[in-house]
Structures are given as C-alpha cells and as structure tokens.
Amino acid sequence: MRERYAENKLGPNKPSSLASVRPRHLLSGKMSCGVCGGPMIRSGADQRFVCSWRRERSASICSNGRGAKGAEIERGCWQRSRRNFCRPSASP
C-alpha cells in the first residue's frame, strides 16, 4: 500500500495527478460555449465537444444542449491552417 501511495504522490516531476490521465487535444482549452462562455470539453464515445458548465453544473446554467463531433472540428481547423500557412506568399 505504501509503495502505491509513493508511486501516485505528487512531486517535482509530476505537477498534477490529472495531467497524466487526461488527454490533451489540439483544441484543449481553446474553445468556449457560444451561449454561456463556459469551456467546451470532449465527452462521450464519439468525443463530441459539449459545454462543460451545462454538463457538470446543470441545464439551468447553460441552455446549449448541442455538441459538435471532435474529429470534424479538428479536421476543419487543420484544413484552415494548411490554407493559411501553405499558400504562396506574394513577392514584393
């Protein structure tokens, strides 16, 4: 039991117990709900982006019951980034 505690204990090389468990995605921390301004999180089997405040607090906090498929959102971001960064620059 003590070995397990020492293994899980926070230390200088392990800033957060959640950092090693929670996945980081391309848009982690970058999206907010258009209705209430709360953070959007990935949730469910198909990894949809949903309003965190509605999901974790209640529907009375946010009326946004819609979600967006994470793969579609990320694909659109990559396509837009490629268009913006890979286009030939105009020479002066």
Side-chain angles (χ1 to χ4, degrees):
M1 182 105 163
R2 288 183 185 183
E3 292 169 2
R4 182 68 179 227
Y5 175 76
E7 181 182 308
N8 292 328
K9 184 178 172 186
L10 295 179
N13 296 330
K14 192 172 179 187
S16 170
S17 61
L18 296 177
S20 63
V21 176
R22 300 184 83 163
R24 299 284 298 170
H25 299 284
L26 172 68
L27 299 172
S28 291
K30 309 282 188 290
M31 295 176 58
S32 59
C33 177
V35 176
C36 69
M40 299 292 282
I41 58 170
R42 288 183 91 156
S43 178
D46 61 348
Q47 293 292 292
R48 297 177 73 81
F49 281 101
V50 296
C51 177
S52 170
W53 287 358
R54 178 183 171 93
R55 183 173 169 265
E56 295 174 4
R57 296 180 184 181
S58 75
S60 64
I61 300 294
C62 178
S63 62
N64 183 7
R66 301 190 66 173
K69 290 186 179 176
E72 291 177 10
I73 300 292
E74 286 185 356
R75 188 178 318 114
C77 287
W78 281 116
Q79 288 173 349
R80 176 168 270 173
S81 295
R82 274 195 293 267
R83 266 199 317 264
N84 289 337
F85 294 117
C86 296
R87 78 178 126 180
S89 61
S91 54

